[in-house]
Amino acid sequence: MGKWSSRRRNACTEIINRNGGIYRPRDMGNMSEQLIELTVADLKPLPAPFDKPEMEPGFKAPKADWNEKYNSELDGFIAIDTFLRPQTQEEKDELVQKFLRGVEKMLSCDTNGGIMQVLNLTMEYCAKCNTCSNACHIFEASNRNELYRPTYRAEVLRMIVKKYFDKNGKLIPGGKNDVVVKFIGGDIDLNWETVARLGELSYRCNLCRRCAQTCPLALDNGLIAREIRKIFSQELGYAPKPLHEKGTQLQLKTGSSTGMSKVPFLDTVEFLDEDATDLFGEGTTEYKTPMDVEGADILLLHNAGEFNAWPENPMAFTMLFQEAGLSWTLSSDICGYDNVNYGLWYDDAQCKKVAIKQNEVAKKLGVKRIVIAECGHAHKAAAIMADRYYPGSDRVPVQSFLPLMRDLVKAGTYKIDPNRNDFPVVLHDPCNYVRQMGIVKPQRDILKMIMKPGHYGNMGLPYYEMKDHGVNNYCCGGGSGFAIMQSMSFPQWRNNIAHRKKLEQILEAFGPEVMENTDVPKYICAPCSNCKGAMRDIIEHYRLDRFNVHYGGLVELIVNAMTKYSTPYMEFLRDE
């Protein structure tokens, strides 16, 4: 593959399989072993200090019986842990027919009208220029493996549509004549293997939409991946357990995607209030999180995972809001204390249920606005997607925490000493509210006001910007659900490939001198729960703790800079 010229790679979309043969999109249905087999040596090399072979962990071998029960014949990894290999011909045929019915609904304005314009553009007008490929962190991390090219899955779906559907998007039983399909570019055999591999391939994309931003024709290959996921969930009944069964369904049943119900939630909040008072009350202040306050100005929605994994984050919000004297509340209703909406990534029906429930909680309390805390996908789900599901005057306005916090810091609400944040910080931009919503400046304004200038940083800033930042950022690699998908071999793929570009950005931003100085604590500022999960995995997988690397949100840095507190807010600073 490395011997191919760039002209050859750009002229057609082909991959070399594990046995050295060439696979094209139309060969996705070939009955064979897995198409490719990856090793760390196949991937894009990392910068120092990971330029030494012994520094990077390799892939762990999958269990032999996994492929007997599930389907790993794409690349050896399994994302859809609910999909079991069909055992009979009837089951195989049923799978194909359900998939085709799902594609028909995808192509219908009656069932998919909200996205038909961009979907039609993407299906009909791809120029094969591969601008999107050069923007894709997964394609780059894989060392340009053709299977992960953004246009590859789109081309497979495009060929299926050309063969099995007429110009109005209606299914043609049995497909078109073989002579015709070869002429129009629909020469593909659709069997259960094609469907299964295409489903898995839709989970080799973070849905970051960087490809869509760079496309000169405004096509969206991320949308294609999401539509395939939607077909698998809504029509075939297959979705990764962490997203559906242990995610959306658990949230609608118990109130939270973590499974934390009302009583444990209230107990946790009470404990955090006591912790904040004991550590930072200085004997004069008692911190108390308002709960279920009717008529408050703000309903603050956290990702419930914060309370379990990163409790210092919601605790910081309580301290900041109380010190500012805001009128605000949390809710203990189902979906009222968890801003998560995993349906955004795989299923419109599930996304709608959660979005409506969250809005109803806000209406019940009579709050004036919903403020979304540090969770990227929740911003998009609550502020943008919910408009499609719950339009009109009944919608409670939704805002990001970032402009609010920027305005509070800028107004001098808190007494700030930037010298308290005298350690290197690199800023990560979450895709969902930076690239996809344009919230770029507030977080940077905050860092400029709370970080010590002139010591650490780049580009004349008191913090480190990654080479590609703002709307040009790269995904953390945990987007679209990857950060919580822990089934079988999938974390191996995520940690080695999806996270790879973000690790490279972190290493390059800090630089070898800072990075390898283990006496200096380094902080990755990731104002998003999902992104923090990705940073946790990156640090654990690549053992960045040996370089004194830490991670967390933005509000923690604000509290750490406040002169009111004699104790550093960051635990790693208290340990020194």
Side-chain angles (χ1 to χ4, degrees):
M1 190 159 49
K3 296 180 180 179
W4 288 11
S5 68
S6 59
R7 178 179 297 178
R8 171 63 173 165
R9 286 197 301 267
N10 291 339
C12 64
T13 305
E14 299 180 337
I15 62 175
I16 298 179
N17 76 346
R18 63 190 299 192
N19 297 317
I22 292 179
Y23 269 94
R24 297 150 294 187
R26 69 167 179 255
D27 296 325
M28 275 278 277
N30 284 4
M31 307 300 287
S32 66
E33 297 181 358
Q34 70 185 60
L35 298 184
I36 62 171
E37 186 172 353
L38 296 171
T39 67
V40 169
D42 298 323
L43 308 181
K44 181 185 178 182
L46 290 168
F50 289 88
D51 52 347
K52 306 174 187 68
E54 66 275 10
M55 290 291 291
E56 184 175 354
F59 289 101
K60 294 180 181 178
K63 294 183 180 179
D65 60 342
W66 282 349
N67 195 47
E68 295 176 5
K69 185 176 181 181
Y70 303 95
N71 183 69
S72 62
E73 293 178 0
L74 179 74
D75 54 7
F77 304 99
I78 301 166
I80 309 177
D81 53 0
T82 54
F83 179 83
L84 304 180
R85 297 174 69 93
Q87 300 300 309
T88 66
Q89 189 60 47
E90 290 74 16
E91 290 176 345
K92 295 175 183 178
D93 292 343
E94 182 183 14
L95 178 70
V96 171
Q97 292 307 311
K98 283 184 176 180
F99 177 78
L100 286 173
R101 288 195 293 271
V103 174
E104 188 170 37
K105 290 181 181 179
M106 180 192 77
L107 298 172
S108 171
C109 288
D110 294 334
T111 52
N112 214 17
I115 63 167
M116 286 309 297
Q117 182 180 32
V118 66
L119 180 63
N120 284 335
L121 283 171
T122 305
M123 293 296 289
E124 295 292 335
Y125 293 102
C126 180
K128 308 296 192 301
C129 69
N130 287 307
T131 303
C132 60
S133 301
N134 295 329
C136 177
H137 63 289
I138 289 176
F139 182 61
E140 180 182 341
S142 71
N143 215 7
R144 305 180 70 84
N145 189 301
E146 295 291 334
L147 186 65
Y148 302 131
R149 189 182 290 276
T151 53
Y152 190 88
R153 72 181 65 82
E155 186 63 22
V156 174
L157 185 61
R158 194 176 290 118
M159 294 174 75
I160 292 171
V161 170
K162 287 180 177 180
K163 180 172 183 176
Y164 290 96
F165 294 86
D166 64 23
K167 63 181 181 180
N168 297 315
K170 298 298 181 182
L171 179 62
I172 301 173
K176 296 174 183 174
N177 181 278
D178 287 345
V179 176
V180 174
V181 297
K182 287 182 180 180
F183 180 74
I184 64 174
D187 185 17
I188 189 170
D189 290 325
L190 182 60
N191 52 47
W192 81 269
E193 290 250 28
T194 315
V195 174
R197 286 174 177 151
L198 193 56
E200 276 294 326
L201 197 52
S202 70
Y203 286 93
R204 303 298 186 270
C205 168
N206 281 121
L207 308 184
C208 75
R209 295 322 210 279
R210 199 172 192 268
C211 58
Q213 178 176 274
T214 60
C215 178
L217 299 178
L219 311 187
D220 190 347
N221 284 299
L223 176 68
I224 297 297
R226 205 262 179 180
E227 286 298 298
I228 296 169
R229 293 185 185 192
K230 193 169 76 177
I231 292 171
F232 262 70
S233 178
Q234 295 182 192
E235 299 301 320
L236 277 63
Y238 299 121
K241 285 183 181 180
L243 303 189
H244 185 61
E245 181 183 327
K246 297 179 180 179
T248 304
Q249 287 190 322
L250 191 61
Q251 183 180 10
L252 291 167
K253 180 181 179 181
T254 66
S256 158
S257 57
T258 65
M260 179 169 57
S261 58
K262 179 176 181 176
V263 173
F265 166 68
L266 292 173
D267 289 343
T268 300
V269 172
E270 182 180 358
F271 172 79
L272 293 182
D273 287 345
E274 292 172 355
D275 212 22
T277 301
D278 292 343
L279 285 170
F280 306 104
E282 308 285 335
T284 61
T285 304
E286 180 184 2
Y287 289 104
K288 184 71 174 177
T289 301
M291 190 68 63
D292 298 321
V293 178
E294 295 183 4
D297 176 28
I298 293 170
L299 169 61
L300 180 64
L301 273 180
H302 289 290
N303 182 314
E306 299 279 356
F307 293 99
N308 294 330
W310 305 287
E312 64 277 5
N313 186 268
M315 189 165 77
F317 269 100
T318 292
M319 295 165 67
L320 290 167
F321 277 29
Q322 182 168 320
E323 291 295 333
L326 301 181
S327 169
W328 70 290
T329 185
L330 297 187
S331 169
S332 63
D333 266 357
I334 285 183
C335 294
Y337 54 93
D338 192 0
N339 63 24
V340 159
N341 192 339
Y342 292 159
L344 177 73
W345 298 324
Y346 75 100
D347 191 307
D348 284 348
Q350 301 301 321
C351 188
K352 181 177 181 178
K353 289 177 184 178
V354 173
I356 289 176
K357 189 66 179 175
Q358 290 171 340
N359 190 72
E360 288 175 346
V361 168
K363 286 177 59 182
K364 179 181 176 182
L365 285 173
V367 298
K368 295 179 177 62
R369 51 180 169 157
I370 297 171
V371 172
I372 303 296
E374 294 194 8
C375 183
H377 88 271
H379 275 71
K380 182 179 177 181
I384 296 178
M385 297 297 289
D387 280 341
R388 300 179 181 177
Y389 307 137
Y390 212 109
S393 59
D394 284 339
R395 282 273 286 128
V396 177
V398 177
Q399 299 176 2
S400 169
F401 79 98
L402 280 165
L404 172 63
M405 291 309 310
R406 186 267 315 275
D407 292 346
L408 289 172
V409 175
K410 188 175 181 180
T413 305
Y414 316 110
K415 291 183 179 180
I416 296 292
D417 179 7
N419 292 317
R420 292 168 66 97
N421 285 330
D422 183 18
F423 49 90
V425 172
V426 64
L427 177 64
H428 163 71
D429 286 305
C431 300
N432 278 293
Y433 67 68
V434 176
R435 176 167 36 257
Q436 300 189 41
M437 292 179 67
I439 305 174
V440 179
K441 195 168 182 289
Q443 57 271 45
R444 289 168 166 80
D445 290 342
I446 292 171
L447 287 175
K448 291 173 187 176
M449 292 184 281
I450 67 172
M451 298 299 302
K452 180 180 179 179
H455 196 180
Y456 295 108
N458 61 6
M459 305 182 188
L461 299 167
Y463 64 93
Y464 291 90
E465 286 277 21
M466 297 181 184
K467 181 181 178 181
D468 294 281
H469 56 269
V471 296
N472 295 316
N473 75 310
Y474 282 98
C475 178
C476 62
S480 79
F482 288 7
I484 61 170
M485 291 167 59
Q486 307 293 344
S487 299
M488 292 174 284
S489 57
F490 188 75
Q492 290 291 309
W493 183 89
R494 177 195 65 212
N495 294 340
N496 284 289
I497 298 178
H499 289 330
R500 199 173 193 82
K501 183 63 179 181
K502 186 54 57 180
L503 172 62
E504 177 187 272
Q505 285 192 294
I506 293 167
L507 297 175
E508 290 181 342
F510 283 135
E513 183 177 350
V514 172
M515 190 68 196
E516 298 185 44
N517 185 345
T518 58
D519 292 330
V520 176
K522 292 160 279 289
Y523 187 81
I524 305 168
C525 179
C528 166
S529 296
N530 207 61
C531 298
K532 280 188 287 193
M535 300 308 163
R536 175 187 58 202
D537 290 337
I538 290 172
I539 289 172
E540 290 179 359
H541 184 71
Y542 292 96
R543 293 182 53 214
L544 296 188
D545 56 329
R546 57 185 152 168
F547 300 107
N548 205 355
V549 175
H550 307 268
Y551 72 101
L554 176 63
V555 290
E556 296 95 312
L557 286 170
I558 300 175
V559 176
N560 196 65
M562 292 171 64
T563 60
K564 177 172 181 173
Y565 310 118
S566 58
T567 302
Y569 193 72
M570 304 296 193
E571 189 173 350
F572 65 84
L573 297 178
R574 296 201 298 267
D575 290 340
E576 292 186 345

